[in-house]
Amino acid sequence: MTSNASTPKTRVRRHPERASYDTAVVHAILDAAYVAHVGVIVDGSPVVLPYACARVGDELVLHGSTKAGILSAVATGTPICATVTHLDGLVLARSAFESSMNYRSVVVQGFARVVVDRDEKVRLLDAFVDRVLPGRRAQIRGMTDVELQVTQVVAVHLDAVSAKVRTGPPKEPKEDHQPDVWGGVIPLTLAHGNPEPDDITANDAPAPHFVEHRPAPH
Amino acid sequence: MTSNASTPKTRVRRHPERASYDTAVVHAILDAAYVAHVGVIVDGSPVVLPYACARVGDELVLHGSTKAGILSAVATGTPICATVTHLDGLVLARSAFESSMNYRSVVVQGFARVVVDRDEKVRLLDAFVDRVLPGRRAQIRGMTDVELQVTQVVAVHLDAVSAKVRTGPPKEPKEDHQPDVWGGVIPLTLAHGNPEPDDITANDAPAPHFVEHRPAPH
């Protein structure tokens, strides 16, 4: 367990009591995420786009088309920020001011390295599939050479990283404690629906049961 | 209905067939969102943080503490990018390469104006509550002067904006059409759980039924 508390760049300034720099906390939040919002600077302006993400070891791995603008920008050594947020609930206080949301978020800052080695690229893309859908890789074909060529894989080391978590009911000053006004939490969860097979799938093809067994990503 | 297609900055380059610049599409995606990922440049590096958001007219409104770093940066005229993403499904093709996600996203770029007029600030914060929880405002007290003073409200005009939407089953080359391998979509939805009252709430306080009536934000 390393701590990242000493990185001034990632220190949480607002609501520091919600901050965590614990590796286990950071990893758990990243591992529950399908998507990170990735920010880079393009022509002097920030651009934020959603990317599928997967933590592999102490790196956050992203991939995209070699034609995609912002991952190409990363290859030139521009700084990157990747943020993951899980919304866990609406927090209803008895004032707008004290109302809030429950959430778990992680902010990763740094520079991404472009993965060029073919074997490493395959390994990271495999790890990607394994993380999103454990068991799926055994059912599908591998990457072709052409597919590998047009797929950009980048990895950001988890040095400058912080987590922020809010849980529990509203916190309000005593003068707002009016029992006749409902206060509390409306939980939010990213729910997985019933798998919908496409027209190609045979009736007896085994449904992706592994999805139900993977930990709920909230 | 205005179109934003003529803004080169926001033109979708990757998968342009998924792009939309239609105001109704953009508004629907923004209105279904609780949170935007907001990117600004701080000390030469991008920083992306989640913020509660609400569209009011043709602006995206954000608010935070006056002590919060990145909204203060916005006040100095630095460019901003606010991105909203709804994850709608995991798309399982019969190869990793063609696998994907269904989603609806909107990217807003521009400069934010800081709302300083007291009445407008109150109006926008009210609209905020109305958007997240219609009906709630009648049950809770208004903002105090002190609360207004420490709350920063900024608005970004929806000029340079684009939407991107993927729906439906996997799209694969014919040679991958293997009926014995399950392919299709696992739907994802942001589900609202049963409201959990806090310890202050009286047993007979009416539960926030309005939550169930609001359109599902996915």
Side-chain angles (χ1 to χ4, degrees), chain B residues 62-206:
Chain B
L62 308 167
H63 73 282
S65 162
T66 49
K67 291 173 213 153
I70 82 165
L71 283 193
S72 306
V74 165
T76 64
T78 185
I80 188 174
C81 180
T83 299
V84 155
T85 305
H86 305 284
L87 271 189
D88 293 332
L90 303 174
V91 180
L92 278 65
R94 290 155 192 90
S95 68
F97 186 75
E98 300 291 351
S99 295
S100 185
M101 293 189 198
N102 283 337
Y103 62 91
R104 292 159 292 141
S105 68
V106 162
V107 177
V108 181
Q109 288 180 279
F111 294 86
R113 69 183 180 92
V114 178
V115 178
V116 286
D117 180 77
R118 190 190 190 280
D119 290 347
E120 191 189 11
K121 211 166 170 175
V122 169
R123 187 175 62 78
L124 289 179
L125 289 170
D126 281 353
F128 216 101
V129 178
D130 291 344
R131 184 153 291 284
V132 177
L133 290 169
R136 179 69 176 169
R137 197 153 51 85
Q139 304 179 345
I140 57 178
R141 66 165 175 80
M143 298 281 284
T144 67
D145 285 340
V146 172
E147 288 173 349
L148 278 171
Q149 275 163 32
V150 297
T151 303
Q152 174 124 287
V153 178
V154 307
V156 192
H157 205 276
L158 299 175
D159 290 322
V161 62
S162 62
K164 207 168 167 186
V165 177
R166 193 207 184 278
T167 58
K171 294 165 187 77
E172 313 180 87
K174 269 211 170 147
E175 58 268 30
D176 282 345
H177 287 186
Q178 297 182 56
D180 56 325
V181 179
W182 193 96
V185 174
I186 297 162
L188 296 172
T189 322
L190 189 64
H192 292 67
N194 291 324
E196 300 167 350
D198 64 10
D199 292 342
I200 297 153
T201 305
N203 285 336
D204 59 352

Side-chain angles (χ1 to χ4, degrees), chain A residues 17-186:
Chain A
E17 78 284 3
R18 297 180 187 167
S20 171
Y21 307 91
D22 183 88
T23 300
V25 172
V26 167
H27 285 189
I29 293 171
L30 292 177
D31 291 353
Y34 289 128
V35 163
H37 279 83
V38 176
V40 298
I41 304 171
V42 178
D43 296 334
S45 295
V47 178
V48 179
L49 296 177
Y51 276 90
C53 68
R55 180 187 65 86
V56 181
D58 52 6
E59 291 185 313
L60 187 68
V61 179
L62 309 167
H63 73 282
S65 162
T66 49
K67 292 173 211 152
I70 81 164
L71 283 193
S72 306
V74 164
T76 65
T78 184
I80 188 174
C81 181
T83 299
V84 155
T85 306
H86 305 284
L87 271 190
D88 293 332
L90 303 173
V91 180
L92 278 64
R94 291 155 192 91
S95 68
F97 185 76
E98 301 289 353
S99 295
S100 185
M101 294 190 197
N102 283 337
Y103 62 92
R104 291 158 294 142
S105 68
V106 161
V107 177
V108 181
Q109 288 180 278
F111 294 86
R113 70 183 179 94
V114 178
V115 178
V116 287
D117 180 77
R118 190 189 190 281
D119 291 347
E120 191 187 14
K121 212 166 169 177
V122 169
R123 186 175 63 79
L124 289 179
L125 289 169
D126 282 352
F128 216 100
V129 178
D130 291 344
R131 183 153 293 284
V132 177
L133 290 169
R136 179 70 177 169
R137 197 153 51 85
Q139 305 178 345
I140 58 179
R141 66 166 174 80
M143 299 280 284
T144 67
D145 284 341
V146 171
E147 288 173 350
L148 278 172
Q149 275 163 32
V150 299
T151 302
Q152 174 122 289
V153 179
V154 306
V156 193
H157 205 274
L158 299 174
D159 288 324
V161 61
S162 63
K164 208 169 165 185
V165 177
R166 194 206 183 280
T167 58
K171 294 166 188 77
E172 314 181 83
K174 269 210 170 147
E175 56 270 29
D176 282 345
H177 288 185
Q178 296 183 56
D180 56 325
V181 180
W182 194 96
V185 175
I186 298 162

